[in-house]
Amino acid sequence: MTGKIIALAALIFFMSILHRGNASRILCVFPSASVSHQVVFRGLTLALRERGHDLVVVTPNPVRDPNLKNYTEIDVSFLYEENYETDYIELRRNARWIDWFWNVTPILHLFGEKTFDHPEFKKIYAPDSGEEFDLMLTETLYWPAFLALGKRFDVPIIGMTSLGLALNLQYSVGNPILTSHQSNWDLAMKEVSDSPTLFERLKNFYDVWKFIYNYNTEFMPAQHAIAKKYLGNEIPELGEIERNLSLIFANQQGPISYLRPNVPNVIEIGNFHVSKKIKPLSKDLQKTLDESKQGFIYMSLGSNVKSTMLDKKSRSEFIAAFSKLPYTVIWKFEDEFLPGKPDNVIIIKWAPQQAILAHPNLKAFVYQGGLQSTEEAISHGVPVIGFPVMADQDMNVNKMVSLGVGKKLEITDVKRDDLIEAIQSVATDGSYKQRMLNLRELLKDRPYDSLKNAVWWTEHVIRHRDVPHLRSSTADEPWYQRGDMDVIFLIATVFVISVMTASAVLYQLLVYSMKIFGNQQSVNRKEKLK
Ligand SMILES: *[C@@H]1O[C@H](CO)[C@@H](O)[C@H](O)[C@H]1NC(C)=O
Ligand SMILES: CC(=O)N[C@H]1CO[C@H](CO)[C@@H](O)[C@@H]1O
């Protein structure tokens, strides 16, 4: 009897060891003060928690659910208060994203410092904290300082982005740098062309390489200084840690992005934040939408760009266009009052977007082209009218237009007639809707669920403590070897020198023979005269 009990106790003991053996501790650092980024990361962190892992998550959008065990949140929501009120629409008139980046670097550094400075976070990374982790997950957009934490805890790092990879990351993971390819959302503000001229490509080449150069020689060292300030001087060069990232989860699903070659440790993700269970609408809104028998239009410029940023003229164009529509318009407008609001327009400060998109009476979604909103529109089969403002939004809307599921208009030059025409054709011509439904089917038709796949890869990295077999040595190539720039330069130089030498020799020969010929003639002439 006692023998049996001892055996049972031993079994339970070993089972618990085994169980602990499968559960890992994961440090997650996601400092972007932007909800649309955070909802993507949260999709993965909650799924990892479900799998039994223990997570510490640094985020400005904590879930704050006391029932979530093994999920410690370090709340950096104060970063939203530090947030600068940028008028992105005004910005669009004046700059390309790739140039504008340099205006926000002070803010990026400040956010980095403020996050490192958080007392709860300090307790985690302090040298004597006793904290141990098996993996670090972090947003790889413009936050290289946090990569140093991977060294502090001696863990592999998985990078993650809520949109396609930024140029700086394309470079550091060893992807080919395609200076004029449409997947470079960094280049876009307005002027993205599917068939750029030679001159435009020259300009893109210059801009892209200048950005990569400045990023690595100015931005990285400043971030390195921040990392050293909080973690000590032992921190290796951040660029080297970045080149060693185990995996990168990139939010770019094939059917809805401009395809490009990626190194094998870039793993496509998507739709992490799209809810399977939609929360019901408020009674009022539900009633309004149900009663919109003609259908309704939903307009939102997202969480970063606000409709209140529209200048008077653009606003009045929107109002004039909406007032002529036979539909109800639900407008996410962040103010109490919209002067001149037509009767068929309802303004709401905050919109339960997925529930609105799910309503069967919805005809079209007027939006800013954010990737998360695009994914939501597709998953509810709603055609779109895009007014892109910044970052990857032009690219997303261009792709939607090329797939025939939407139209593109210009936010800095809103014209009521164009808007009416766009809404009417998308709403009444059923082919937009049909193509959107087809696209939804295409996205769903895949061998695995994207989120489960990302969980599998995360655990794969933990199991093997890194995945060097997926890493391409292209990441180690210096810039001048990428695309064989040095070889092309050498060939071009040799060619130019040869042509110049040959021309010089030919010229000399010509001059020499002219002389002889000239002499000959004058001799002949003299002889004739005799
Ligand atoms: C990067 O990986 C290589 C090969 O595994 C290793 O030798 C090097 O120390 C790593 N560098 C950093 C900064 O982690
Ligand atoms: C790995 C780990 O720390 N798991 C913990 C999850 O939470 C339960 C109960 O809250 C703990 O018993 C585990 O140790």
Side-chain angles (χ1 to χ4, degrees), residues 316-504:
S316 64
E317 292 297 306
F318 272 107
I319 291 173
F322 288 159
S323 71
K324 295 211 176 71
L325 293 173
Y327 313 115
T328 305
V329 177
I330 306 293
W331 187 350
K332 178 181 168 282
F333 190 84
E334 303 79 7
D335 216 336
E336 301 292 339
F337 189 64
L338 172 63
K341 184 180 81 61
D343 288 341
N344 64 330
V345 174
I346 294 164
I347 54 170
I348 48 180
K349 271 190 171 175
W350 178 85
Q353 181 154 302
Q354 297 197 40
I356 294 177
L357 290 173
H359 199 284
N361 288 349
L362 180 57
K363 294 282 181 193
F365 178 20
V366 180
Y367 81 140
Q368 91 295 18
L371 182 54
Q372 279 64 49
S373 292
T374 304
E375 289 179 334
E376 289 168 12
I378 297 168
S379 76
H380 296 294
V382 181
V384 293
I385 290 145
F387 281 95
V389 180
M390 60 168 171
D392 63 335
Q393 295 167 356
D394 278 277
M395 177 181 80
N396 299 334
V397 175
N398 289 349
K399 189 68 193 180
M400 292 301 106
V401 173
S402 75
L403 294 170
V405 296
K407 293 207 167 236
K408 183 179 182 182
L409 294 172
E410 179 50 52
I411 195 83
T412 57
D413 185 23
V414 185
K415 294 199 180 80
R416 64 188 77 183
D417 293 337
D418 294 352
L419 182 55
I420 294 173
E421 202 274 327
I423 293 179
Q424 284 292 21
S425 57
V426 165
T428 55
D429 173 353
S431 68
Y432 285 88
K433 174 93 183 165
Q434 191 50 52
R435 283 188 292 264
M436 201 47 135
L437 293 171
N438 296 348
L439 183 60
R440 174 168 79 178
E441 286 316 302
L442 185 64
L443 270 180
K444 272 192 197 157
D445 193 5
R446 54 195 313 162
Y448 48 76
D449 173 73
S450 174
L451 184 55
K452 284 193 183 130
N453 187 50
V455 169
W456 185 88
W457 278 108
T458 308
E459 294 180 346
H460 180 75
V461 171
I462 296 173
R463 277 195 293 276
H464 301 283
R465 263 203 68 82
D466 199 359
V467 283
H469 56 281
L470 290 178
R471 186 176 177 276
S472 170
S473 59
T474 49
D476 303 321
E477 286 177 357
W479 65 267
Y480 51 83
Q481 282 183 24
R482 307 279 180 107
D484 284 337
M485 272 197 257
D486 49 355
V487 176
I488 293 169
F489 179 75
L490 185 72
I491 293 175
T493 312
V494 169
F495 179 75
V496 168
I497 291 176
S498 314
V499 169
M500 279 168 68
T501 316
S503 316

Side-chain angles (χ1 to χ4, degrees), residues 20 23-25 52-54 69-70:
R20 282 192 70 88
S24 300
R25 286 201 86 210
H53 301 296
D54 184 12
K69 295 282 176 266
N70 293 348

